[in-house]
Amino acid sequence: MIKTVLSVIGVDHSDGDLILAIELAREAEAHLAVLVLAISAPPPASEYAAVVNAAWLEERQEDIERLRERVEEVKALLAVTQLSADVGGEYLDRAWIDEAVGHRARCADLTVIGPVLAADDNLRTPVLKGALYQAQIPVLFVPDGKRPTVRPKRVLVGWDGGLEASRAVHEALPLLAGAEEVHIAMVDPRGREDGLQIEPGADIAAYLARHGVKAVVDRLPSGGQPVADALRTHAVDTAADMIVIGAYGHSRLRDLIFGGVTRSMIGNADLPVFMAR
């Protein structure tokens, strides 16, 4: 059950993503936590360090003041909604954004990412990393022109039997249980080599049925197209209003590269995507 929704916005972002988060929190009857982020300028390296540093310090103070003002603007906007809410601001180096988001997201049930944040190349990936990997809570990715919801009617679940997909299904259970129709989409599925599972997907369908989820398994041939494209096409064919997928990727030191399916779903989303890892 979703009781706390986290919305992350940039200090110079419009109110678009915040309004989407307000709508989602109101629908879920949840507390809304807002984190406003400002990226600090790196310290200068110059032979005129004394002069440059003075200008840099002045710029930092202006940025910090702008962040304070933006936090107050968000508080005023939320006060009108009468929602249960809190607002915080962070001024930090880009390398620490994921940790700051992760720290805040550990006290939330869901992070909502709207189209404004999604279009911000500086913030999008570290915010996703913070929520999905540092805090390990699900993300609802909302593309431009779509409205977020915790009560989807028709849901497409991308299923390959892996740990990430399993995690996504478990996190999405409250949404799936309330849906009228759930399609478990498997692209080019294979049966187990030991022969114990004749029909791929039958196990997850049975599991969901025990939770009261009305699910059917759709086994799809890729036809040579990428998995993400096959899922998007089937989402249209089934009139889905949400896709549920696992967030695939790997890490090396502090860097994380999202896997091909995850990256494609994020970059070309045309309906809300619920992701978990």
Side-chain angles (χ1 to χ4, degrees), residues 180-196:
E180 296 176 0
E181 188 176 303
V182 174
H183 287 263
I184 303 169
M186 305 184 70
V187 180
D188 294 335
R190 297 179 181 178
R192 280 170 45 174
E193 293 182 0
D194 56 19
L196 296 178

Side-chain angles (χ1 to χ4, degrees), residues 193-213:
E193 293 182 0
D194 56 19
L196 296 178
Q197 181 178 314
I198 299 175
E199 295 185 358
D203 48 0
I204 188 62
Y207 167 77
L208 288 175
R210 289 191 287 270
H211 282 272
V213 178

Side-chain angles (χ1 to χ4, degrees), residues 52 77 81 85 93 118:
V52 175
L77 191 156
T81 68
D93 186 270

